[in-house]
Amino acid sequence: MLQRSTLLSLFLAVGLGAVAQPALGQAVVPRTLKLDSKELEKTGLVLFKEAVYLSQFQQIEPALARVKLATQLAPKSADAWALLGGLYLSQKEVDQGISALEKSRTLNAKNAGVHFSLGAAYFGQEKYEQAAQLLTMGLKIKPDVPEALFDLGNTFYKMGKLKDAIKQYEKSLDQNEKFWPAINNIGLVQYEKGEVSRAIKQWKAAIEIDQKSGEPKLALAVATYVEGDKEEGLALAMSALKLDGRYGKVAFLEENLWGEKLIADTKVVFATPEIQAALSELDVETDDGTSASTSP
């Protein structure tokens, strides 16, 4: 499991979610030519509050429209720029999101959520050195955010710093022992290191926390199959794919940090007639963009 919503880090670390509910629709620019900067800034901050409220309810487009105007009317509002950046990232407009977040960071270098969101954005661009630097800076400000610790662990994993990755995952679990993605990813690291039995324990622990997640169950299935219990491994794999068919695509597994060894073993499992039939029944799209279904 890679990422959660970029907005989550903003709301958790910056506290934007605590902004009082505004009276929506009442913020308009006064109908006069004698506008002074203070009045414009006040209007901008009202629009910002509306944008926060709307974004909490996933009303992204109207929130984005309001916060864009808010940054024009109140250009020194670091929080407005932060929210604008987060909303851009939620819309996959990464370059614009980074630009807005960097603007926010110049206005307020102590905003941990902005550092976390920038780190996640640079991670998505495979700029891992920058991602690690920003996540580390954010954690110096606010060290107890399990999601940010998890992101830093993922970044170290992609940089090949496996010991550092596990250390960050463990720190994440120190903050929230039920944060199963960290447990799952410890298993991913251990599997690549050849510590299959230890990885199996991690995935079993993750499943105990969230039995409806397909990822640890599929990873456990592959490991079980490779270890010799093919019948149980196939049964677990079919159960995992029924929970979440996206894991039937190798490209999706790679996006979720599955390493070369685990991917190679997964391909062996996917090639079995039983799993091929399961993928066809589930109509899972293959990695070449075609459907695995054999039905017309």
Side-chain angles (χ1 to χ4, degrees), residues 142-161:
K142 193 172 181 65
D144 57 351
V145 181
E147 295 87 355
L149 291 161
F150 175 71
D151 282 355
L152 184 56
N154 288 342
T155 304
F156 284 143
Y157 181 27
K158 294 296 289 186
M159 295 170 71
K161 299 179 179 180

Side-chain angles (χ1 to χ4, degrees), residues 189-210:
V189 175
Q190 291 173 335
Y191 198 89
E192 294 307 301
K193 293 172 64 178
E195 300 171 356
V196 179
S197 60
R198 296 181 68 184
I200 286 174
K201 289 181 180 179
Q202 294 294 325
W203 291 325
K204 286 182 176 179
I207 293 169
E208 287 183 7
I209 295 171
D210 187 353

